[in-house]
Amino acid sequence: MSDATQAQAQTTARFTPRVFSGIQPSGGLTLGNYLGAIKRFVDMQEQGIETIYCVVDMHAITVWQEPDALRRQTRELAAGYLAAGLDPSKSILFNQSQVPEHAQLGWVFNCVARMGWMNRMTQWKDKAGKNAEKASLGLFAYPSLMAADILLYHATHVPVGEDQKQHVELTRDIAAKFNNDYGVEFFPLSEPVIEGAATRVMSLRDGSKKMSKSDPSDMSRINMTDDADTIAKKIRKAKTDPEPLPETPDGLEDRPEARNLVRIYAALAETTPQAVLAEMGGKQFSEFKPALVDLAVDRLAPISEEMSRLMQDPAEIDSILGRGADRARQIATPILQRTYDIVGMIRG
Ligand code: ATP
Ligand code: MG
């Protein structure tokens, strides 16, 4: 181990393991969110580590959200977490805006993070595109608020999809710079946890683009609330190539669309792409796609049914989020206070 790596390992070893992650209520949940995030959040909840999961509504408004849609999406996302198995007595579940310490620590981190770091973020480049001048300041500052989300709880582990790896690395840079600037070992260097067969589920229409809830094309994604017919239609129309499936994952190298469907299948079946191809290698898509439809419907239908049941009682969802926020604040408040003390802010 290099000196720097050793120092890092020591800094993080001092902290009790704690998991934090969040999802934006920027649209309906997708299969990508489920396989890359929620399903793994639920797995981690069962591992005896403290788990904190957030509906990051303040991130969602970095792009325009109709207020009524934001409210509905926030409740629907909370329902998605619960329906997938998140247990609010085991995990802390809340929406970000109810814990104002996120914004407060976010401001401190805006003064730690450097413009050059933010400019290099690929999500910023992707989302702002050629229209950066018209993008909100919030969209640019997003990764600094995300660092605050994580570090406000001294979280050591952050389960995310592949697309968020760069932001968790930036979180580490912010923690390291804060610790170094103030001569403290206060914030841990949180680790991204990116595991499973589907850490980057791709669009069903374009194998080079990530599946996203904010993609304008509904055919590009499977939504957690899609019914069986819609799932069948989207998978049937998913872009593929004319070749049969290969016998091993090497054969998927230059076939992004085929690789995507195999990975989705593997993640839903809780197995590996190797195992899927050992069974399906040599088959045409005309045979593989119906098998994938059956599997997807089998896994998603119970979750979407439970989501619609929960959505019938929005007051109950709001009260779960409120209770979660109270618990989150018990952890967040002393960490923010200590941060202010370190920075030199007076508290009466
Ligand atoms: P948006 O398009 O508004 O950014 P999103 O679908 O990317 O929405 P986020 O709220 O940004 O969703 O991300 C929530 C979590 O889901 C993150 O951990 C992210 O890495 C994960 N995630 C998002 N899309 C995918 C995907 N296609 N495959 C795997 N994981 C994903
Ligand atoms: Mg995203």
Side-chain angles (χ1 to χ4, degrees), residues 21-24 26 30 32-33 36-37 127 142 159-164 198-201 210-214:
S21 200
I23 300 182
Q24 305 183 65
S26 48
T30 71
N33 301 135
K127 288 199 172 175
Y142 171 120
V160 281
E162 185 67 48
D163 61 304
Q164 290 294 334
T199 56
R200 187 175 176 81
V201 177
K210 179 183 92 69
M211 183 182 285
S212 282
K213 56 176 121 66
S214 62

Side-chain angles (χ1 to χ4, degrees), residues 114-125 140 143 166-167 170 173:
R114 305 289 95 182
M115 295 287 284
W117 300 358
M118 311 309 260
N119 261 323
R120 281 195 289 276
M121 294 296 112
T122 51
Q123 175 175 291
W124 159 251
K125 289 186 220 162
F140 187 68
Q166 195 184 31
H167 289 164
L170 185 101
D173 290 342

Side-chain angles (χ1 to χ4, degrees), residues 59 62 106 110 118 124 136-146 170:
H59 285 281
T62 56
N110 283 347
M118 311 309 260
W124 159 251
S136 72
L137 179 56
L139 187 66
F140 187 68
Y142 171 120
S144 159
L145 179 60
M146 177 165 156
L170 185 101

Side-chain angles (χ1 to χ4, degrees), residues 91-102:
S91 295
I92 297 180
L93 174 64
F94 69 105
N95 59 313
Q96 186 185 25
S97 57
Q98 292 206 71
V99 179
E101 287 79 2
H102 287 249

